[in-house]
Amino acid sequence: MEACRKLEEVLERIEKACQRAGRKKEEVTLLGATKTVPPNVIKRFYECGLKVFGENRVQEFLKKYEDLSGLSIEWHFIGRLQSNKVKYIIDKVKLIHSLDRDSLLEELKKRASRLGIKANVLIEVNVGNEETKGGVKPEDLEAFFEKVLNAKDLEVLGLMCIPPYEEDPEKVRPYFAKMREFKEKLEEKFGVSLPHLSMGMSSDFEVAVEEGATIVRIGTLLFGERG
Ligand SMILES: *Cc1c(COP(=O)(O)O)cnc(C)c1O
């Protein structure tokens, strides 16, 4: 089956990258980035063994969440999140990858507290300092991290980034390395352990794994070109 073969191929490439870096393949979770991918295709990959999927848009996520409610999918939210939409997803996703500003932090705190749940989050870092992208600026990361750490209704599990696009993945490596340094610096400064670095997409996930990624978010390579 085509889906299973593609999944196997990507998992093998992750395993090889782990070997090169002296890591165990169990340390890396493959997340299927399924924006614009229809539910029946998601289901096919699920049946091949892929269980973690991430969506970018709230509306689209809710539709698929409903359509695929019979499956034990672990859903993540990986896109830019508007504060007024937090309430629709907070109790449906295992991890929100894109916390990057005070207004969103406040809304997450409010909604988690009301439901009596802990919301798992990653802080998105604008590692390339790009105007057009979301994410906390590297120079603001420490202060923002402290606020999130002090929010009792949130559990901060690490960092996420979408680095500048480069055709040559080696050119992205320094950004991934920087992310690992940010994580280690925060761990040391605040005396905490951060289990996750969400980084690496279709074009650069092997380099990301070599640099310490624990979640790679892959779309095109698994599901094909998007319309
Ligand atoms: C689309 C998307 C991905 C996957 O990108 P591909 O290059 O298609 O693998 C990963 N992360 C985020 C946040 C995305 O929006």
Side-chain angles (χ1 to χ4, degrees):
M1 203 163 139
E2 180 77 347
C4 295
R5 195 179 54 74
K6 277 191 192 157
L7 177 60
E8 275 318 306
E9 221 172 83
V10 171
L11 288 171
E12 263 170 42
R13 286 174 63 181
I14 291 172
E15 185 174 356
K16 288 209 177 100
C18 282
Q19 281 167 2
R20 287 195 293 277
R23 305 180 64 202
K24 295 196 203 79
K25 67 174 196 276
E26 292 78 18
E27 291 172 30
V28 181
T29 297
L30 170 59
L31 176 152
T34 45
K35 55 175 176 278
T36 76
V37 179
N40 66 309
V41 175
I42 297 176
K43 186 158 186 279
R44 233 182 281 146
F45 279 84
Y46 176 87
E47 283 163 356
C48 297
L50 187 57
K51 300 287 138 115
V52 181
F53 296 93
E55 281 289 331
N56 292 64
R57 293 179 197 89
V58 169
Q59 200 86 349
E60 188 181 343
F61 162 68
L62 291 172
K63 178 85 175 58
K64 292 177 189 172
Y65 181 83
E66 184 84 7
D67 286 350
L68 297 169
S69 61
L71 312 182
S72 304
I73 289 179
E74 179 180 313
W75 288 106
H76 292 204
F77 196 81
I78 63 175
R80 206 164 163 70
L81 181 55
Q82 285 173 268
S83 299
N84 63 359
K85 304 243 167 96
V86 166
K87 58 178 179 285
Y88 302 118
I89 68 156
I90 190 164
D91 58 343
K92 298 183 179 67
V93 297
K94 175 87 180 290
L95 183 60
I96 294 170
H97 291 229
S98 47
L99 173 53
D100 67 350
R101 59 196 190 276
D102 287 324
S103 56
L104 182 55
L105 170 61
E106 289 312 314
E107 183 65 16
L108 284 163
K109 279 159 66 172
K110 179 171 114 186
R111 295 292 168 182
S113 157
R114 273 195 200 173
L115 291 168
I117 59 172
K118 262 208 173 199
N120 295 321
V121 297
L122 304 179
I123 296 175
E124 180 174 349
V125 182
N126 189 339
V127 69
N129 259 313
E130 294 172 279
E131 290 291 335
T132 52
K133 275 188 188 156
V136 180
K137 290 202 201 99
E139 65 262 34
D140 299 331
L141 178 58
E142 225 170 78
F144 189 67
F145 179 84
E146 187 165 22
K147 283 186 226 170
V148 181
L149 188 62
N150 288 332
K152 65 173 172 27
D153 301 300
L154 266 58
E155 189 80 36
V156 58
L157 298 181
L159 306 176
M160 177 270 223
C161 75
I162 306 171
Y165 176 78
E166 296 281 355
E167 194 135 353
D168 174 6
E170 282 304 325
K171 291 202 174 131
V172 192
R173 189 184 293 277
Y175 294 111
F176 293 144
K178 213 187 262 185
M179 289 293 290
R180 194 186 54 222
E181 283 166 28
F182 291 151
K183 178 174 108 81
E184 287 168 357
K185 226 158 129 191
L186 293 170
E187 288 178 320
E188 187 175 357
K189 166 135 190 166
F190 294 98
V192 294
S193 152
L194 299 172
H196 286 304
L197 271 179
S198 167
M199 57 190 197
M201 317 201 322
S202 291
S203 58
D204 55 20
F205 69 100
E206 287 152 307
V207 172
V209 167
E210 287 170 16
E211 296 299 329
T214 65
I215 303 174
V216 292
R217 310 177 310 266
I218 298 188
T220 316
L221 201 55
L222 289 170
F223 312 114
E225 292 297 329
R226 282 178 296 267

